[in-house]
Amino acid sequence: MSPAPHPPEPARPLERVWLVANRASRSTDEGRIAALEAAVLAAGATIAGSSDFPREPAPGAAALAGIDTLVIMGGDGTINSASAAARGWAGQVLAIPGGTMNLLPRALHGDAPPEAIVAAAASSDAAPMLVHVPVVRAGDHTSYCRIIIGPMTRWARARENARRGRLWRVWQAVRLALARGFLGGVKVAGHAGRHPGVLVMPAAQGLDVALFSGSGIGDAMAVAMRWLLDDWRDAAAVTAFTASELMVGRRRTLRCLFDGELKRLPPPARLVPGWSDLRYIRTLPA
């Protein structure tokens, strides 16, 4: 994997901030956003702009002229969308956890709460760094956290409903996923058979890949329950490995989840590692 476009360097001060958050989300409600705004002001910054995403679009590079820091509070999909909108901008991004998985904020800040992240990002004593983060690219799409490919993407709806406490919708989604979520699968170059689920995550050394290759309802339910509760990479019917690139699919359009957002890719899809266009504030020690 090629080196990042720029080496890590000390983060810049938080001065003029644009805040992107979803006020309608249960994970980023009005109270949590107000607490984040208070933390930004306490750090000595000015909130020069804000977007109630997705009701309002995330700012593009032109809108961010004169802004030094884009603060994004949301889940993996929100961070992905806001980062894509800001492509070409030369400022720094502060990713704040506000969803269910929060994989990118965890990689940058550990399990620190939003207010502590803002304080550390503004503190010279904490030595926050500005870094590119590893990503996975497939065609015009980029993943900062993970891509799921194949019929198992149907389990995503069940997982989200479970996390939101919508028990009836969980049951409906589970019934649909059991009926369709393990039928067929996708071809992966260099690996025999078809795989109902392919998980690809960015890593500094390339791509972290997990292939579900189980057969029968027992294997299916074991993976499904692990996914509903946490992560399915450790299930017995899953093969995990690291790759420099991955070719997926042969004839049919691929159903994919990029950081939780549904996309469709023409086959075959070539997945390659890379680095983010923007740079992110990291408060964890290297």
Side-chain angles (χ1 to χ4, degrees):
M1 185 170 172
S2 61
H6 301 90
E9 64 180 53
R12 305 161 191 164
L14 306 185
E15 295 178 346
R16 289 176 56 81
V17 165
W18 191 298
L19 174 62
V20 174
N22 181 356
R23 296 182 181 276
S25 170
R26 290 182 61 181
S27 299
T28 53
D29 59 21
E30 195 72 42
R32 294 182 183 181
I33 295 173
L36 177 62
E37 292 173 340
V40 169
L41 296 176
T46 299
I47 300 177
S50 64
S51 300
D52 181 8
F53 184 84
R55 188 177 66 84
E56 299 172 341
L64 292 171
I67 300 294
D68 57 78
T69 308
L70 175 61
V71 179
I72 310 171
M73 185 184 206
D76 300 333
T78 298
I79 293 174
N80 186 318
S81 296
S83 297
R87 185 175 181 179
W89 175 60
Q92 59 188 8
V93 181
L94 183 60
I96 301 292
T100 54
M101 294 297 290
N102 303 310
L103 295 178
L104 181 57
R106 284 181 182 177
L108 294 167
H109 314 298
D111 292 322
E115 296 81 2
I117 293 172
V118 173
S123 170
S124 57
D125 293 336
M129 300 297 291
L130 199 55
V131 298
H132 291 278
V133 298
V135 300
V136 181
R137 302 193 190 278
D140 295 331
H141 302 294
T142 299
S143 169
Y144 294 79
C145 302
R146 63 182 184 179
I147 304 171
I148 299 172
I149 307 171
M152 278 190 66
T153 55
R154 298 184 186 278
W155 279 95
R157 182 170 297 176
R159 193 178 200 278
E160 285 303 305
N161 284 325
R163 290 187 176 273
R164 294 173 184 271
R166 299 168 176 169
L167 298 183
W168 174 244
R169 292 187 179 181
V170 169
W171 173 239
Q172 290 178 315
V174 166
R175 289 178 62 189
L176 178 62
L178 283 174
R180 302 181 183 178
F182 298 99
L183 295 176
V186 297
K187 299 286 289 184
V188 176
H191 297 269
R194 293 184 176 273
H195 307 277
V198 178
L199 172 67
V200 185
M201 302 180 68
Q205 69 274 21
L207 305 177
D208 282 345
V209 183
L211 306 180
F212 171 61
S213 308
S215 60
I217 193 66
D219 287 342
M221 287 304 298
V223 170
M225 291 308 298
R226 282 183 177 270
W227 191 9
L228 285 172
L229 299 173
D230 186 23
D231 197 338
W232 53 273
R233 283 177 292 173
D234 294 330
V238 171
T239 301
F241 57 93
T242 301
S244 58
E245 67 173 58
L246 202 68
M247 294 291 291
V248 181
R250 182 173 293 177
R251 297 185 182 89
R252 296 182 179 180
T253 299
L254 296 168
R255 181 185 175 95
C256 310
L257 290 173
F258 279 74
D259 300 341
E261 301 298 319
L262 182 62
K263 310 288 184 184
R264 297 185 186 275
L265 297 179
R270 178 172 177 256
L271 283 69
V272 297
W275 296 96
S276 60
D277 299 299
L278 304 179
R279 288 190 287 177
Y280 296 77
I281 297 174
R282 184 186 68 206
T283 59
L284 279 179

